Amino acid sequence: MTTAPTPQPPDPRPAPAAVAGTGFHPHLPDHPAEEGSPRLRLHHIRADALDGDTTQTGGMRRFAAISGRTVGSEKLWMGQTHVAPATASADHHHGASETAIHVISGNPVFVFADDSDGEQREIRLHAAPGDYIFVPPFVPHREENPDPDHEAVVVIARSTQEAIVVNLPTLYVLHEDDRTS
């Protein structure tokens, strides 16, 4: 008969202090941020205080929560996008930024063109609340909300402190010389 190991009491010694350049945070500087810096404190952005002064794409509304402007972030942008009922956004991409999307409500459809097998075809990813979507840098896409009565709401995180949005005339795979147009 096998017996379970006897539980050990917690170690009463305090955990060692984090040292810059070691452990889980080797990227942190070995000096604190300047006094008065927004990087010395946590920021609470209430749902009713999101910033609508962002780059927009037809058919959707973007709202910033975490950005360089709102909290002083240096490497991250996070906010919400709302797509109205029975609406499709314009085609666009997000430059060099990686984008992670989490569906909060509705059933948005994410559309992109795929030519990985040599033949271009439209791919439609049908999402539901709780799903995640990853959009690589420079990939043209659009969001659609087929629901005739309810808007779709998603939370977005980007790998840049501002929301890069490049609106496009059409949905197509970009070549190197097309990325900044």
Side-chain angles (χ1 to χ4, degrees):
M1 173 178 211
T2 305
T3 59
T6 305
Q8 299 297 316
D11 188 341
R13 297 173 294 178
V19 176
T22 64
F24 293 109
H25 302 287
H27 61 283
L28 293 177
D30 57 3
H31 55 82
E34 293 178 26
E35 190 172 329
S37 167
R39 298 182 65 77
L40 288 177
R41 62 185 186 87
L42 298 182
H43 294 268
H44 179 188
I45 295 81
R46 295 185 183 282
D48 63 356
L50 299 181
D51 180 5
D53 187 21
T54 65
T55 305
Q56 300 295 328
T57 297
M60 60 183 4
R61 297 173 307 163
R62 289 187 185 90
F63 300 93
I66 309 298
S67 70
R69 185 173 59 208
T70 61
V71 299
S73 66
E74 293 179 3
K75 298 176 184 165
L76 178 71
W77 183 94
M78 188 172 193
Q80 287 184 2
T81 298
H82 297 237
V83 181
T87 300
S89 76
D91 299 326
H92 61 281
H93 71 78
H94 302 292
S97 182
E98 293 183 328
T99 302
I101 300 170
H102 178 69
V103 179
I104 300 299
S105 65
N107 293 94
V109 178
F110 297 87
V111 184
F112 67 101
D114 181 20
D115 68 353
S116 61
D117 62 0
E119 189 172 323
Q120 190 158 335
R121 58 194 166 94
E122 187 176 279
I123 305 295
R124 304 174 66 78
L125 304 175
H126 296 263
D131 289 354
Y132 291 85
I133 300 287
F134 174 69
V135 181
F138 298 106
V139 174
H141 62 281
R142 72 175 169 265
E143 289 85 28
E144 297 178 356
N145 180 6
D147 189 309
D149 300 314
H150 302 97
E151 75 177 355
V153 178
V154 301
V155 169
I156 296 183
R158 295 220 176 94
S159 61
T160 55
Q161 83 275 7
E162 295 303 330
I164 299 168
V165 178
V166 179
N167 292 310
L168 301 168
T170 185
L171 190 66
Y172 62 97
V173 176
L174 292 176
H175 300 286
E176 192 67 36
D177 55 342
D178 296 327
R179 290 185 174 188
T180 58
S181 59

